[in-house]
Amino acid sequence: MARAGLDKETVIKRAAELANEVGIEKITLKLLAENLKVQSPSLYNHIRGIEDLQKEIMLLGWKQVEKSMIDAVICISGYDALEAVCRAFYKYVIDNPGVFNAMLWYNKFQSEETQNATKELIPMLYKVFAALNISKENSEHLIRTYRGFLEGFALLVNNHAFGNPISIEESFELSLQVLIAGTKALEGKEDKPCTT
């Protein structure tokens, strides 16, 4: 039942697809092996176990979303760039709900490998905020704020937690504009956002 040409990239890619189809929590090595038409022990040639597989899916997700966000700011700047990176992140995690759930465990696997998964993303975000005349300290707070909004909103959407029939996309856009307005209030300020 061994499959010629099977490599780690193929294993992780199929696992990510399965995560989106059935949920990251439902993936087992047995299920993955069946999908790849191999015996479960064959997977150990490419991964060390289920936790390693989850880590690899998480790394793949952050690498893919990093590319999407960086591509989104090509030839644009200012608040257009900030909005573009937010929309790129949101679209990716809505389109990849299982991978996104793995991505939420980023700090669980804190290592040089996880740092490298976003080595271009974080500096790009600092550049976006610097171009808006936002101090480095305030930029650090804002990166957390935007991440909290984007991940939290997407998590609720992916879990069908919004019961009100009004447009979710309109709610997302309105919320993003509220954040943008708040960001504009920090232009040129070196103080912390909250000094009380």
Side-chain angles (χ1 to χ4, degrees), residues 73-105:
V73 296
I74 293 173
C75 298
I76 59 172
S77 60
Y79 285 100
D80 288 340
L82 183 55
E83 290 185 31
V85 296
C86 289
R87 290 192 185 103
F89 181 91
Y90 179 68
K91 181 178 185 332
Y92 178 85
V93 299
I94 293 298
D95 290 346
N96 298 276
V99 173
F100 174 51
N101 279 351
M103 291 166 64
L104 292 171
W105 296 105

Side-chain angles (χ1 to χ4, degrees), residues 39-105:
Q39 297 288 341
S40 296
S42 300
L43 295 176
Y44 288 97
N45 293 322
H46 310 289
I47 56 170
R48 292 188 298 275
I50 195 69
E51 188 166 289
D52 186 48
L53 180 65
Q54 291 168 346
K55 181 196 78 171
E56 292 295 338
I57 294 171
M58 178 271 294
L59 290 170
L60 175 69
W62 279 109
K63 287 173 187 171
Q64 289 178 337
V65 84
E66 175 185 71
K67 183 179 186 318
S68 295
M69 293 171 78
I70 289 172
D71 287 350
V73 296
I74 293 173
C75 298
I76 59 172
S77 60
Y79 285 100
D80 288 340
L82 183 55
E83 290 185 31
V85 296
C86 289
R87 290 192 185 103
F89 181 91
Y90 179 68
K91 181 178 185 332
Y92 178 85
V93 299
I94 293 298
D95 290 346
N96 298 276
V99 173
F100 174 51
N101 279 351
M103 291 166 64
L104 292 171
W105 296 105

Side-chain angles (χ1 to χ4, degrees), residues 55-179:
K55 181 196 78 171
E56 292 295 338
I57 294 171
M58 178 271 294
L59 290 170
L60 175 69
W62 279 109
K63 287 173 187 171
Q64 289 178 337
V65 84
E66 175 185 71
K67 183 179 186 318
S68 295
M69 293 171 78
I70 289 172
D71 287 350
V73 296
I74 293 173
C75 298
I76 59 172
S77 60
Y79 285 100
D80 288 340
L82 183 55
E83 290 185 31
V85 296
C86 289
R87 290 192 185 103
F89 181 91
Y90 179 68
K91 181 178 185 332
Y92 178 85
V93 299
I94 293 298
D95 290 346
N96 298 276
V99 173
F100 174 51
N101 279 351
M103 291 166 64
L104 292 171
W105 296 105
Y106 180 78
N107 289 324
K108 177 181 176 184
F109 299 106
Q110 195 61 260
S111 66
E112 186 176 335
E113 196 175 17
T114 57
Q115 298 286 331
N116 287 337
T118 56
K119 68 181 177 184
E120 294 178 42
L121 175 59
I122 301 303
M124 179 272 290
L125 291 174
Y126 278 117
K127 285 179 186 174
V128 168
F129 283 118
L132 300 174
N133 199 23
I134 305 290
S135 72
K136 185 175 187 299
E137 184 174 20
N138 283 341
S139 295
E140 289 171 355
H141 291 297
L142 285 170
I143 288 171
R144 269 191 189 162
T145 301
Y146 278 88
R147 180 183 177 189
F149 161 63
L150 291 166
E151 290 188 4
F153 197 95
L155 199 56
L156 290 168
V157 172
N158 285 350
N159 286 282
H160 312 288
F162 289 124
N164 191 310
I166 64 170
S167 166
I168 288 174
E169 294 311 309
E170 286 180 17
S171 293
F172 174 80
E173 287 298 328
L174 177 65
S175 302
L176 179 56
Q177 292 312 312
V178 169
L179 271 179

